[in-house]
Amino acid sequence: MKGDRKEVDTSNSSQKNKYIAIKELHTIGYSISELCKYAKIARASYYKWLNRPETLRDRENAIVLDEIIKVYLEVKGIYGYRRITLNINRRLNSQYNHKRIYRLMKSIKLSSVIRRKRKNYIQSTPQITAENVLNREFTAERPNEKWLTDVTEFKLTTGKKAYLSAILDLGDNSIISYVLGHSNNNILVFDTLDQAIDTNPTAKPIFHSDRGFQYTNRTFKNKLDKFEATQSMSRVSRCIDNGPMEGFWGILKVEMYYLRKFDSYEELEAAIDEYIDFYNTKRLQKKLKGMTPIEYRSHTLAS
């Protein structure tokens, strides 16, 4: 082949990473010829590299890259290099820099899925309003000190809609309760709150929301008063006041919802159950010292 005559600088770090990737992918059945063509390198240069004396770093990169591919496939490509780094460091009990993981991923053109997100608002005339007590202080010493809540919308291929209400605990970023419904109404939000109280009966948190109609009615305020929660609300048109909750919606939609089409309510419900379990119990977070939300919650409550 004409391309096989092309000379390649095998001392180049990026080029070496491509060679390592080809070697690893070939072991699971991919064609060397096709991999070289995809990576835009000459087969002769790859074989020249393959037959050279292998260095310690080469062997280490091969191990790391193999683990990167495993993680990436397990999560169906939703992780970027920073979250891949967290998982690699846990699995290999290492402290690899995210830049090194980025270079290895780039060498085989691995990247997270392109995302999009959108927020819809429902105008309402409030019966009850509250000050922004939370005041964008999005940290908590322990679980059950600060809860955030919101409702988001999903569309099915049939044109029908579903609505998810959830409560996030700022102490560990876990989703402590959630309810999916066919309508965006008071019952949806009330059931979500009741679920959170049932599982955390001694909690007396700051309870923060936007000014949606469900949160500004007297019945909801009475429910908060009953378990001694302090109500807090975002300012008008300031979605950043509820930033972590908005952030969770973005994560859920780009890592699950936008990756597929949902034909039925039941199909969506099953996917949400699966994803929130994944988020709470398997998705490592750097701000939680590399733990999952539930791991961090258990660790914090036990200390």
Side-chain angles (χ1 to χ4, degrees):
M1 290 176 62
K2 182 178 180 181
D4 291 344
R5 301 191 187 97
K6 184 167 56 178
E7 292 296 325
V8 179
D9 179 9
T10 57
S11 67
N12 181 274
S13 177
S14 176
Q15 205 74 9
K16 285 183 179 179
N17 290 337
K18 290 184 179 181
Y19 295 145
I20 294 169
I22 291 170
K23 182 180 178 182
E24 292 302 310
L25 291 171
H26 179 60
T27 64
I28 59 175
Y30 288 91
S31 161
I32 288 178
S33 178
E34 291 299 319
L35 289 169
C36 287
K37 182 179 179 180
Y38 180 75
K40 297 181 180 179
I41 65 172
R43 283 185 299 170
S45 297
Y46 167 72
Y47 285 116
K48 179 180 178 181
W49 170 86
L50 187 65
N51 294 320
R52 94 239 175 276
E54 191 174 39
T55 66
L56 178 62
R57 188 174 180 86
D58 289 336
R59 290 195 293 272
E60 185 179 30
N61 278 344
I63 293 170
V64 174
L65 190 56
D66 182 59
E67 207 63 37
I68 287 173
I69 294 169
K70 288 179 182 177
V71 173
Y72 188 86
L73 293 176
E74 284 172 11
V75 300
K76 301 176 183 177
I78 64 174
Y79 284 173
Y81 68 94
R82 293 184 185 278
R83 201 161 298 280
I84 290 282
T85 302
L86 282 176
N87 283 267
I88 292 299
N89 284 335
R90 169 177 281 203
R91 292 187 179 203
L92 300 181
N93 192 26
S94 55
Q95 291 296 323
Y96 292 115
N97 187 283
H98 65 273
K99 294 180 181 178
R100 183 172 180 180
I101 302 301
Y102 172 77
R103 287 194 296 269
L104 287 171
M105 290 180 66
K106 188 178 180 181
S107 71
I108 55 172
K109 298 185 179 180
L110 282 187
S111 61
S112 58
V113 180
I114 300 299
R115 294 95 179 268
R116 62 184 176 88
K117 53 186 177 180
R118 183 179 67 181
K119 173 69 177 178
N120 292 324
Y121 294 93
I122 297 176
Q123 298 295 328
S124 64
T125 301
Q127 297 175 346
I128 300 292
T129 58
E131 296 297 320
N132 183 16
V133 178
L134 186 66
N135 197 30
R136 298 189 189 177
E137 293 181 4
F138 299 136
T139 58
E141 294 296 323
R142 297 178 63 81
N144 294 332
E145 290 183 355
K146 299 175 183 178
W147 292 356
L148 308 182
T149 192
D150 195 14
V151 175
T152 194
E153 177 187 288
F154 299 90
K155 289 185 178 180
L156 305 176
T157 56
T158 60
K160 294 182 178 180
K161 296 180 181 180
Y163 300 88
L164 178 63
S165 169
I167 295 175
L168 181 147
D169 190 326
L170 279 178
D172 53 24
N173 282 350
S174 67
I175 299 301
I176 59 172
S177 67
Y178 66 96
V179 177
L180 185 70
H182 294 280
S183 300
N184 183 10
N185 54 28
N186 289 336
I187 294 175
L188 181 74
V189 167
F190 293 175
D191 287 350
T192 310
L193 180 59
D194 289 342
Q195 186 184 108
I197 296 171
D198 288 345
T199 54
N200 301 277
T202 62
K204 295 177 175 58
I206 293 174
F207 190 92
H208 187 84
S209 69
D210 61 20
R211 294 176 180 249
F213 68 92
Q214 307 98 322
Y215 311 114
T216 58
N217 69 72
R218 292 186 180 87
T219 303
F220 189 78
K221 179 64 164 62
N222 290 338
K223 292 174 78 70
L224 292 180
D225 289 344
K226 189 174 181 180
F227 82 106
E228 300 179 44
T230 301
Q231 190 168 26
S232 173
M233 290 184 180
S234 299
R235 292 166 293 174
V236 177
S237 300
R238 298 291 181 89
C239 60
I240 190 63
D241 288 348
N242 203 14
M245 192 72 239
E246 298 288 344
F248 173 74
W249 292 146
I251 291 169
L252 182 148
K253 289 189 176 182
V254 301
E255 293 188 356
M256 184 276 290
Y257 176 63
Y258 293 145
L259 299 182
R260 52 186 290 197
K261 301 294 184 182
F262 295 93
D263 299 322
S264 69
Y265 178 89
E266 291 73 21
E267 186 182 355
L268 175 64
E269 185 176 39
I272 288 173
D273 287 342
E274 181 181 4
Y275 182 81
I276 291 182
D277 179 69
F278 164 75
Y279 173 87
N280 276 341
T281 66
K282 297 179 181 178
R283 193 177 188 275
L284 308 182
Q285 297 192 28
K286 188 174 183 179
K287 61 165 48 173
L288 301 180
K289 301 179 181 179
M291 301 182 198
T292 68
I294 294 303
E295 284 177 334
Y296 191 80
R297 189 178 189 85
S298 299
H299 172 78
T300 304
L301 289 176
S303 61

